[in-house]
Amino acid sequence: MFRITFTPSIDTGRWVALQVAAVGPIAMGVDTSGSVSQDELNQVCDELNGCLDNARPESVHVLYCDAKVHGHEVFKPDDWPVKMHAQGRGGTDLRHIWPYLDEHDIDPVCAIVTTDMELCVADLGDEPAFPVLFLSTGRPAPVDGPL
């Protein structure tokens, strides 16, 4: 599946059609532990809306996780703008994101994990088979060192 985007040509100024490959499903793990502020969760929601509006993926599976996955919402580009319904507010153990995706037959092309990095590297679990981008709303790295 492809989508067509129009952009002005740098050389002529005329509008040119570009064919852009569609983006498959994306997983988004949201750290909802007690150390994450409401302002940080609002920033994450802004990023989610930017992803839906600009990348227009097939879907975004948002998993709310502190010491376990507390909720799962699926958003599509046509749902934009969206509001997240974050659940949790306990400790931090994001290892549960990857098994949850497997158990629910969610096969994303990539994952985005948002966290304040108030955790240890072990709290992130084993690296999954797809690319993962970690977005920090707080510290530059986990408390016990870089990823």
Side-chain angles (χ1 to χ4, degrees):
M1 181 169 132
F2 291 89
R3 66 183 169 102
I4 303 295
T5 302
F6 292 91
T7 186
S9 167
I10 294 173
D11 298 329
T12 66
R14 293 182 181 171
W15 288 91
V16 178
L18 301 175
Q19 191 174 37
V20 180
V23 177
I26 295 173
M28 185 173 196
V30 179
D31 178 352
T32 58
S33 63
S35 61
V36 177
S37 71
Q38 187 59 51
D39 283 344
E40 289 170 308
L41 290 173
N42 292 342
Q43 288 175 336
V44 170
C45 190
D46 289 345
E47 295 300 330
L48 169 60
N49 276 303
C51 177
L52 289 169
D53 189 37
N54 295 309
R56 300 194 58 78
E58 178 183 312
S59 58
V60 179
H61 292 264
V62 178
L63 308 178
Y64 304 108
C65 187
D66 58 10
K68 68 178 190 172
V69 175
H70 285 278
H72 172 199
E73 292 184 289
V74 181
F75 298 109
K76 298 187 181 271
D78 291 340
D79 298 332
W80 182 90
V82 300
K83 292 189 179 194
M84 297 186 330
H85 302 95
Q87 303 164 40
R89 314 311 284 163
T92 308
D93 188 349
L94 302 180
R95 288 179 284 193
H96 303 287
I97 293 170
W98 318 128
Y100 184 96
L101 293 172
D102 289 340
E103 292 162 9
H104 292 85
D105 294 320
I106 301 166
D107 188 24
V109 296
C110 65
I112 301 165
V113 177
T114 64
T115 175
D116 61 0
M117 292 288 182
E118 293 294 331
L119 48 72
C120 294
V121 172
D123 295 329
L124 300 172
D126 293 332
E127 186 174 342
F130 42 83
V132 179
L133 172 66
F134 290 93
L135 298 179
S136 176
T137 61
R139 308 172 55 88
V143 295
D144 61 347
L147 297 176

